[in-house]
Each structure stands twice: as C-alpha cells, then as structure tokens.
Amino acid sequence: MDPDEDAYGQAIRDYHERAEGFEIVERDDGHIAPSAGPAMYFSDYDEWGTDEQTALDHLRGSVLDIGCGAGRHGLYAQRQGHDVTGIDVSPGAVEVSRDRGLDTVEQCDVIDVADVFVSDAFETVLMLGANFGLVGTAETAPDVLDGLATVTTEDGRILAQSRDPHDTDDPHHREYHAFNRDRGRFPGALRMRTRYKTFATPWFDYLLVSPTEMDDVLEATVWTRTETWAGEGGLYTAILEKER
C-alpha cells in the first residue's frame, strides 16, 4: 500500500502521537459509516472480549500476527514470552507497531506469507480483531489458508476471530446480505475501503462468516475448527487446526 493510500495507518499514527483520529468505512453499495475508531487498536487485554481472552490462553511457540495494526495482540503475546512477528499491509501500522515495541514487523499481505517466510516458521497464527476476514472472499480463502498452512508447523494452529453477520437487526446490513446473495457471495462478504481526512485505501474484500459458514470456507483446506468461544455482538473466536 502506498503511503498516500494509507488511511488506516494515518489514523493510527495520529492516535498514537496525539490521541486523536477517526476512521470512515465505505461499502460498495454506497453505505458509509464511522468505525469504532483507532482507539480500539490500542486497547488492552482487560478491554478485549472474553472470546479473545480465552483463545489467547492457547498461544503456543512462535507467533505470526496477521493484520497486526497497532500491535495490541502481538505485544500481548510477546509479553507472555513468545517470539512474535507482526504483518500488515499498512506502512503506518507497521511503523506504529515497531514504535510501541513489537520486535519484528513486516509490511506484507497475508496472501504473500508463503513467499516471505520459510516453511514451519510459526506454531500459532493470530487472526484476531475479526481478522479471519482477511481471507478476502470464498474464492481467495483457500490460497490464503494454504499459505498459512505452509508457514506453520504440523501441529500449528490459527486463533481466528470473526463476526456472525446474521446477528443484526440493522436493515441496511440485511439489505446488503441480500445484495450479496444475488451476486452469489456469502451474505457477510464485504467490499470496502476506509477513509481518513484526505486518505482513502484501495477497495478490498473482507469476509465475515458465522461458525458454520467458517466451516464451509475451511472445507477446501487442511484446517478444521476444533473449538469456539462466543463473544458479544456476534463476535466469536475459534481454534483452527490441521486435519491429521
């Protein structure tokens, strides 16, 4: 991502440096709304949902933090004694994570992990903050998850958080779900970009799925959902492990 497209990273930088900033999410159906804001990317363990907290009890070995943002989950794992590598497409997020003390951070897209890291490099992958969505679409998910299988050990695991898109009464979201079904997509498939001041990211895909829809996504991969913890507002976190 070019720096002049890094709306997300610029918002994180401004919050890190001056405790100010906002983030606007624009969807491909024209829906525009503010996000929870960059403060959430700096939240501490005590502010996280019980599903994320419980999942983090299952950290093991070296850790790859996907979409590390401001480094909140990676820094927690690092404080627990794990070797952690964070990746993010945002140069601003990479800069802030390093500044906050995450030892190893790379600007990298999750689709490219198998080209950047050696096989069997990690024992745990974090896709928290609903970042299972970074698989992109039902079509791109197998390639992303195959790449994560390559860079993890035989008993490697993914701690993956998503949000059940069906857990909403918002008519705008339900209309979008119907729009997606008409296009042959998962109801919770998002085509979106984020905006901040004069910055706007490129359009990208982000996939929200229910637990059973997650299983559908995993079916074409070596991964299977073995344990799941429910959070609030439709959030949940699952352990994904390789089938043996």
Side-chain angles (χ1 to χ4, degrees), residues 58-154:
H58 296 265
L59 286 169
R60 184 168 59 196
S62 54
V63 175
L64 177 64
D65 185 10
I66 305 292
C68 62
R72 54 178 168 154
H73 298 115
L75 287 167
Y76 173 83
Q78 190 170 277
R79 288 193 294 268
Q80 304 308 304
H82 297 271
D83 291 328
V84 179
T85 298
I87 65 168
D88 206 296
V89 296
S90 161
V94 169
E95 178 184 321
V96 171
S97 288
R98 285 179 181 151
D99 193 49
R100 296 184 71 214
L102 196 58
D103 290 339
T104 305
V105 195
E106 307 260 358
Q107 187 178 346
C108 173
D109 194 316
V110 64
I111 193 66
D112 298 322
V113 293
D115 298 323
V116 174
F117 302 105
V118 299
S119 299
D120 304 327
F122 305 102
E123 293 175 69
T124 304
V125 174
L126 301 182
M127 302 183 84
L128 300 178
N131 271 346
F132 182 78
L134 293 173
V135 299
T137 68
E139 291 72 31
T140 60
D143 288 339
V144 171
L145 293 164
D146 286 350
L148 294 177
T150 297
V151 300
T152 50
T153 57
E154 183 179 356

Side-chain angles (χ1 to χ4, degrees), residues 7 23 38 43 69 71 103-104 150 153 170-172 174-175 179 188 220 242:
E23 188 179 25
S43 59
D103 290 339
T104 305
T150 297
T153 57
D170 188 317
H172 298 291
R174 290 194 172 275
E175 288 169 9
F179 177 54
K242 296 178 182 180

